[in-house]
Amino acid sequence: MNQIGVVAIGRNEGERLRRCLESVSGLGLILVYVDSGSQDGSIELARGLGVEVVELDLSRPFSAARARNEGLERLLAIAPEVRYVQFVDGDCEIADGWIDRARRELDERPEAAAVCGRLRERHPERSVYNRLADLEWNTPIGEAKACGGIAVMRVAALRQVGGFDPDLIAGEEPELCVRLRQKGWKIFRIDAEMALHDMAMTRFRQWWKRTMRTGHAYAEGAALHGRPPERHYVRETRSIVVWGLVAPLLCLALAWPTRGASLMLLLAGYAFLFWRVHRYYRGRRGWSPADARAFALFVVVGKIPGALGVARYWLGKISGKRSRVIDFRGPIAAGDSPAS
């Protein structure tokens, strides 16, 4: 176990951060916490638990990618012998036995750059948004194209590709995995409980902003790695633009000359999209009717905020200004203004 270290990242996570750090602090591992400008005593909390703390420079824009990179740098400065790193967000708790299980998997799979397991939402019953996230994270077991930010990764693989891209405000994990796979590494999701996540998403506005962030990530991912053979996020971006931007604007423009027929056609298109998504998750994934209906509904509605996220990325790209971090829990404090 001395071959593994832990890097936790967070900002104003409160009691969730305590649960996160305590879930790994008793394992005898080197633990580094990276703070992105918290104002709720998170830094003092972490230090009180004996955790090594990295405070990000407020003069540079924050990002989860930057936080993970700087956390890994500090971890390796303290323990250069570390071969694997468990990344965890401050709103998550690592499951008992997970890190040891992930270590064994990486030992047995020298081609594996990262291993992840089942991430569950802590309170899926508190809102439909929490429940949707819990469903979203239940991806198939086996070799995967990507993992999320909660995973155990091989340090040698991270070093080979230069770590996370610190300029990405979202979608940094799949983008990293693209570069890892291009170097011949593999990503695996195994059948094991990995962590509990406390989304705390109870309002539609929060879901809307999170979906905007997803659209931004799709657009930036497609811009970076959209060329063949990878075609990273090209299909997802195209779907968002067509259903969330082009189709509604075109149908609205034609509403008067067609006497509303174009709007009826748009509604029929959304109904067809709902049916396709529902059929996939109900039939092929075996979800309950209620879960499949809810997921399909929010996929359709999500095309609009997703398209706004795509537009936000391209407006920033054209203007030369870096987008702000899209934080669905509240505004980002100092240090997160767009770079000029």
Side-chain angles (χ1 to χ4, degrees):
M1 293 295 282
N2 61 358
Q3 295 179 333
I4 301 182
V6 181
V7 172
I9 65 172
R11 186 187 74 89
N12 292 331
E13 298 295 350
E15 190 59 28
R16 292 179 299 193
L17 178 62
R18 179 185 297 278
R19 292 197 299 264
C20 170
L21 299 178
E22 289 180 345
S23 71
V24 292
S25 61
L27 300 178
L29 306 176
I30 302 224
L31 172 57
V32 175
Y33 168 63
V34 185
D35 189 85
S36 298
S38 291
Q39 300 174 348
D40 67 344
S42 290
I43 294 172
E44 293 76 14
L45 167 64
R47 286 181 173 147
L49 293 172
V51 176
E52 180 76 14
V53 174
V54 175
E55 298 180 59
L56 292 185
D57 182 352
L58 303 185
S59 66
R60 295 172 52 202
F62 298 147
S63 72
R66 177 191 164 201
R68 294 190 185 108
N69 286 344
E70 295 196 21
L72 180 59
E73 287 178 14
R74 178 67 64 86
L75 175 67
L76 295 177
I78 298 170
E81 73 279 4
V82 164
R83 297 175 59 201
Y84 310 132
V85 54
Q86 167 75 65
F87 288 108
V88 60
D89 293 348
D91 56 3
C92 296
E93 303 164 59
I94 297 298
D96 291 343
W98 160 251
I99 293 180
D100 189 52
R101 171 70 187 278
R103 177 192 60 80
R104 293 198 304 270
E105 290 287 335
L106 287 169
D107 284 344
E108 294 169 4
R109 300 178 186 264
E111 76 280 16
V115 171
C116 60
R118 177 64 164 104
L119 177 64
R120 295 185 185 274
E121 176 56 31
R122 184 180 182 87
H123 298 293
E125 76 286 350
R126 289 189 177 174
S127 73
V128 65
Y129 316 113
N130 285 356
R131 177 60 180 157
L132 291 171
D134 190 69
L135 292 167
E136 173 189 326
W137 295 327
N138 191 16
T139 55
I141 302 298
E143 187 174 348
K145 292 186 68 175
C147 63
I150 321 302
V152 178
M153 298 188 178
R154 193 182 299 271
V155 171
L158 289 170
R159 281 178 157 171
Q160 184 180 10
V161 300
F164 294 92
D165 184 339
D167 291 331
L168 300 185
I169 67 167
E172 69 279 358
E173 307 97 334
E175 191 279 333
L176 169 69
C177 291
V178 169
R179 290 183 282 118
L180 287 169
R181 288 188 287 103
Q182 288 174 344
K183 293 295 185 180
W185 294 100
K186 295 183 178 180
I187 317 297
F188 292 95
R189 186 197 166 197
I190 61 176
D191 188 12
E193 295 296 316
M194 180 177 65
L196 277 177
H197 181 278
D198 193 356
M199 175 80 78
M201 185 183 291
T202 58
R203 299 188 302 276
F204 180 79
R205 182 173 179 271
Q206 292 175 304
W207 171 84
W208 184 275
K209 293 184 71 174
R210 182 174 183 262
T211 308
M212 277 185 61
R213 186 175 67 182
T214 299
H216 189 289
Y218 285 163
E220 190 160 25
L224 289 170
H225 302 290
R227 293 179 298 276
E230 188 62 41
R231 304 291 288 171
H232 181 56
Y233 283 156
V234 169
R235 181 178 61 83
E236 292 85 349
T237 304
R238 182 187 298 121
S239 176
I240 285 174
V241 170
V242 168
W243 290 105
L245 187 63
V246 175
L249 289 180
L250 181 62
C251 290
L252 283 172
L254 294 174
W256 177 258
T258 63
R259 298 186 179 183
S262 63
L263 298 181
M264 297 302 295
L265 183 61
L266 178 64
L267 291 176
Y270 285 146
F272 175 71
L273 178 61
F274 173 91
W275 174 77
R276 285 187 60 191
V277 176
H278 179 275
R279 184 181 66 169
Y280 173 80
Y281 286 103
R282 179 74 183 103
R284 297 185 60 182
R285 298 288 295 275
W287 289 7
S288 71
D291 286 342
R293 283 195 302 270
F295 201 84
L297 174 63
F298 279 89
V299 164
V300 174
V301 177
K303 298 299 182 183
I304 296 175
L308 293 176
V310 171
R312 179 170 177 165
Y313 166 72
W314 281 108
L315 287 173
K317 182 77 172 176
I318 293 168
S319 67
K321 292 185 177 180
R322 180 181 183 272
S323 297
R324 295 174 182 267
V325 170
I326 304 173
D327 183 8
F328 64 82
R329 293 195 181 111
I332 297 289
D336 228 0
S337 57
S340 22

